């Protein structure tokens, strides 16, 4: 039986700077209700209450002794309705992965979790990201679903995790390419390519993945960006996402103030790929 909670009062307290849960309700009961509310189609409930409270409490150490269990609970949310399209179950999955990113970031600060736990979360996030079939961005009347963007944010958090070395970081790059190049991925038009490129940048900033791995990865995206669709099919649906991610990655690698060691050589590889993808604009073909 769920306890009655005056969420409007608690929300006002949060706005007033209260960063700890109220003492008049057990934390477990509050967490259970908020976790359920992550799947609410009402953005005021999902974003304004559930995500806001849980993310704030994670950041301020409320769950430091419970972080493993909370993250495991968010992993369970990734399976809710997985495989469905255009249903409200996407909200639970998408906001669960966003909170998993918060858990990973918190562990990076407090260093409480064993490597096996974070690696397990990474496996769950990666498996979900390539299997997710509902990649709507903004849903009219229901707000942000944004699974592709939230998943990229979680991959970025994993890339920063101290437990991830060259092998794990390379897997993250492969997962990103799988998602971008999948024929099941619709055109990503709600800022997702920028969030995906940011996740790649976080991998690069670890300075663990060598150029002889990165250059073939760029070429793989380039092939997707130049793919020839079957006759009568929208060519941009087949190539647009890879093109957008390559351009976003070039932009971030060019102007970001935090440069990975491979920046000069990788920029050359990106320029070469972008010239081949957009010869009319970037090569002197006349």
């Amino acid at each position: 039986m769920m306890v009655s909670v005056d969420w409007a009062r608690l929300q006002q307290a949060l706005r007033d700077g209260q960063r700890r849960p109220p003492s008049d309700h057990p934390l477990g009961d509050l967490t259970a209700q908020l976790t359920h509310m992550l799947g609410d189609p009402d953005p005021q409930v999902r974003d304004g209450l559930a995500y806001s409270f849980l993310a704030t409490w994670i950041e301020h150490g409320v769950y430091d002794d419970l972080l493993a269990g909370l993250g495991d609970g968010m992993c369970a949310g990734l399976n809710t309705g997985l495989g469905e399209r255009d249903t409200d179950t996407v909200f639970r999955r998408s906001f669960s992965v966003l909170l998993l990113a918060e858990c990973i970031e918190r562990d990076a600060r407090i260093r409480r979790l064993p490597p096996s736990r974070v690696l397990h979360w990474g496996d769950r996030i990666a498996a979900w990201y390539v299997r997710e079939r509902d990649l709507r961005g903004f849903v009219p009347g229901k707000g942000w679903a944004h699974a592709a963007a939230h998943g990229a944010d979680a991959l970025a958090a994993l890339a920063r995790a101290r437990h991830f070395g060259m092998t794990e970081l390379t897997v993250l790059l492969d997962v990103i390419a799988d998602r971008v190049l999948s024929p099941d991925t619709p055109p990503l038009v709600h800022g997702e390519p920028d969030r995906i490129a940011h996740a790649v940048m976080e991998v690069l900033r670890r300075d663990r993945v060598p150029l002889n791995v990165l250059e073939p990865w760029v070429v793989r995206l380039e092939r997707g960006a130049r793919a020839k669709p079957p006759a009568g099919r929208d060519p941009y649906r087949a190539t647009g996402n890879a093109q957008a991610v390559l351009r976003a990655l070039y932009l971030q690698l060019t102007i970001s103030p935090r440069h990975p060691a491979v920046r000069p050589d990788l920029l050359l590889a990106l320029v070469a790929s972008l010239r081949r993808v957009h010869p009319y604009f970037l090569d002197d073909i006349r």
Side-chain angles (χ1 to χ4, degrees):
M1 178 179 177
M2 286 193 175
V3 297
S4 178
V5 178
D6 186 350
W7 291 111
R9 176 179 65 84
L10 297 186
Q11 186 178 45
Q12 186 57 54
L14 184 68
R15 290 171 179 160
D16 293 340
Q18 175 57 258
R19 298 295 181 255
R20 309 287 297 183
S23 57
D24 54 343
H25 293 296
L27 179 60
D29 290 346
L30 293 172
T31 303
Q33 288 198 37
L34 290 168
T35 299
H36 177 75
M37 290 156 63
L38 285 176
D40 199 293
D42 183 345
Q44 297 303 317
V45 175
R46 183 180 67 253
D47 294 6
L49 295 177
Y51 176 75
S52 295
F53 279 114
L54 289 170
T56 299
W57 293 348
I58 291 169
E59 180 184 358
H60 289 271
V62 171
Y63 292 107
D64 281 358
D65 294 328
L66 306 167
L67 202 57
L70 182 64
D72 288 348
M74 293 304 117
C75 282
L78 299 179
N79 290 328
T80 302
L82 184 60
E84 296 179 7
R85 297 176 189 261
D86 300 330
T87 70
D88 290 341
T89 62
V90 66
F91 298 114
R92 176 67 184 275
R93 299 190 299 276
S94 183
F95 281 82
S96 291
V97 83
L98 199 56
L99 282 164
L100 258 177
E102 298 283 351
C103 292
I104 294 163
E105 295 280 14
R106 182 62 185 171
D107 178 64
R109 291 190 288 274
I110 65 173
R111 300 190 171 217
R112 295 276 186 91
L113 298 176
S116 58
R117 182 71 65 171
V118 179
L119 291 169
H120 171 69
W121 291 350
D123 288 342
R124 295 292 299 275
I125 291 168
W128 163 77
Y129 198 54
V130 297
R131 293 172 61 202
E132 178 60 57
R133 293 295 175 263
D134 193 339
L135 297 175
R136 290 173 293 169
F138 188 83
V139 181
K142 298 180 181 181
W144 291 105
H146 234 191
H150 291 179
D153 293 346
L155 295 176
L158 287 168
R160 292 187 290 268
R162 65 192 185 280
H163 310 303
F164 274 52
M166 174 188 164
T167 299
E168 292 81 13
L169 294 170
T170 301
V171 169
L172 294 185
L173 290 176
D174 289 338
V175 167
I176 288 169
D178 289 346
R179 179 73 276 173
V180 171
L181 299 174
S182 171
D184 288 326
T185 303
L188 300 174
V189 296
H190 290 94
E192 298 94 341
D194 297 302
R195 304 269 277 272
I196 291 169
H198 174 69
V200 176
M201 287 292 294
E202 292 301 317
V203 171
L204 299 179
R205 288 176 178 132
R206 293 292 307 281
D207 291 330
R208 299 287 184 87
V209 183
L211 196 64
N212 63 3
V213 172
L214 294 170
E215 287 182 330
W217 182 85
V218 170
V219 169
R220 183 185 175 197
L221 283 188
E222 178 198 328
R223 287 198 298 267
R226 302 171 66 193
K228 301 297 183 183
R233 301 284 289 274
D234 179 358
Y236 195 71
R237 184 177 178 91
T239 62
N241 289 329
Q243 291 181 15
V245 170
L246 284 172
R247 291 193 296 265
L249 181 57
Y250 172 78
L251 178 65
Q252 292 186 31
L253 195 60
T254 300
I255 67 176
S256 171
R258 294 171 52 212
H259 295 162
V262 297
R263 178 178 180 267
D265 291 324
L266 191 58
L267 275 175
L268 291 176
L270 281 168
V271 167
S273 284
L274 287 168
R275 285 187 183 279
R276 289 188 290 266
V277 170
H278 299 296
Y280 184 83
F281 305 112
L282 302 177
D283 269 351
D284 185 8
I285 60 175
R286 288 176 290 178

